[in-house]
C-alpha cells in the first residue's frame, strides 16, 4: 500500500533480495525485518552515534558501561566509546537489547539530552554513502550474514 516498511522493499528476501530503504531508522521497519528473517529483535546488534547536549563525564561513561538501571530493568550496552576525532559529546554505543527508546533513556537517566541520534549499523547492515531517502541493493555478504543470523 504506500507504507514504507523494509518488508515492502524486500518482498522475496530469501533468495531474491530487492532494494533496502535507507530509512530503516523507524523501529517498525526493524521489527518487520527481524520478523521476516526470524531473528529475535533482541539479538540484533545495533550501533548508534549519539551527540549529547554536553560532554559525557568519565564517571557517567563508566556507569553506562556497567549498565544503567531504568524503570523497566537494567540497560546493558555491548560497546561504548567516544567518537574518534570529535568532542566528548559524541558517543558511539552498541546494543542488542530492543526496548523502546533505550538509547535516549540511558542518557536521559544520567541528565543528558540527545541532540542527534543516528543508527549507523543494524544487524550488520549499514547506510554508508546513502543520503536520506535513498536505497541500495544488499551485497552478497549482507545476504549471507542475514541468512546466518536466522540460524540462531
Amino acid at each position: 500500500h504506500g507504507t514504507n516498511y523494509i518488508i515492502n522493499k524486500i518482498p522475496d528476501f530469501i533468495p531474491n533480495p530487492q532494494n533496502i530503504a535507507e530509512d530503516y531508522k523507524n523501529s517498525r521497519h526493524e521489527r518487520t525485518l527481524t520478523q521476516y528473517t526470524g531473528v529475535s529483535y533482541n539479538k540484533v546488534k545495533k550501533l548508534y552515534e549519539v551527540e549529547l547536549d554536553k560532554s559525557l563525564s568519565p564517571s557517567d561513561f563508566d556507569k553506562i558501561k556497567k549498565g544503567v538501571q531504568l524503570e523497566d530493568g537494567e540497560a546493558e550496552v555491548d560497546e561504548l566509546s567516544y567518537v574518534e576525532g570529535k568532542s566528548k559529546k559524541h558517543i558511539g554505543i552498541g546494543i542488542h537489547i530492543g526496548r523502546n527508546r533505550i538509547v535516549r533513556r540511558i542518557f536521559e537517566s544520567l541528565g543528558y539530552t540527545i541532540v542527534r541520534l543516528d543508527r549507523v549499523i543494524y544487524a550488520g547492515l549499514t547506510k554508508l554513502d546513502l543520503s536520506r531517502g535513498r536505497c541500495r541493493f544488499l551485497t552478497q555478504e549482507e545476504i549471507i550474514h542475514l541468512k546466518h543470523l536466522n540460524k540462531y
Side-chain angles (χ1 to χ4, degrees), residues 4-150:
N4 191 24
Y5 291 122
I6 277 184
I7 197 70
N8 295 338
K9 301 291 181 182
I10 314 174
D12 299 315
F13 175 75
I14 300 172
N16 184 18
Q18 300 296 317
N19 281 341
I20 194 165
E22 180 276 333
D23 189 15
Y24 66 91
K25 295 177 185 175
N26 187 313
S27 64
R28 292 177 304 180
H29 298 188
E30 296 162 357
R31 290 186 192 279
T32 304
L33 179 61
T34 56
Q35 287 168 355
Y36 191 76
T37 61
V39 179
S40 169
Y41 184 69
N42 288 327
K43 292 182 181 177
V44 174
K45 179 88 182 249
K46 297 160 282 273
L47 183 64
Y48 298 85
E49 185 177 325
V50 179
E51 181 182 351
L52 301 171
D53 61 330
K54 57 189 173 188
S55 294
L56 182 64
S57 73
S59 64
D60 287 339
F61 184 96
D62 290 340
K63 287 177 188 174
I64 294 170
K65 280 205 66 116
K66 291 177 183 171
V68 176
Q69 190 64 38
L70 301 173
E71 65 277 356
D72 58 347
E74 187 172 18
E76 297 176 355
V77 301
D78 301 323
E79 301 173 46
L80 186 69
S81 65
Y82 294 106
V83 176
E84 192 173 319
K86 295 190 177 182
S87 74
K88 301 276 191 220
K89 296 190 319 185
H90 296 267
I91 311 300
I93 183 169
I95 60 171
H96 65 275
I97 53 179
R99 300 192 317 247
N100 286 341
R101 300 174 45 84
I102 191 70
V103 174
R104 288 192 186 277
R105 292 190 299 129
I106 287 170
F107 288 102
E108 287 171 356
S109 74
L110 298 171
Y112 297 89
T113 300
I114 292 182
V115 175
R116 189 178 65 80
L117 178 62
D118 186 20
R119 183 174 306 115
V120 293
I121 297 177
Y122 175 79
L125 303 175
T126 70
K127 57 185 184 122
L128 188 65
D129 299 327
L130 279 179
S131 57
R132 189 177 250 335
R134 304 300 301 177
C135 60
R136 65 173 175 82
F137 285 100
L138 293 172
T139 66
Q140 192 62 38
E141 291 81 16
E142 289 169 331
I143 294 167
I144 291 167
H145 175 73
L146 290 171
K147 287 180 180 180
H148 180 73
L149 283 177
N150 195 25

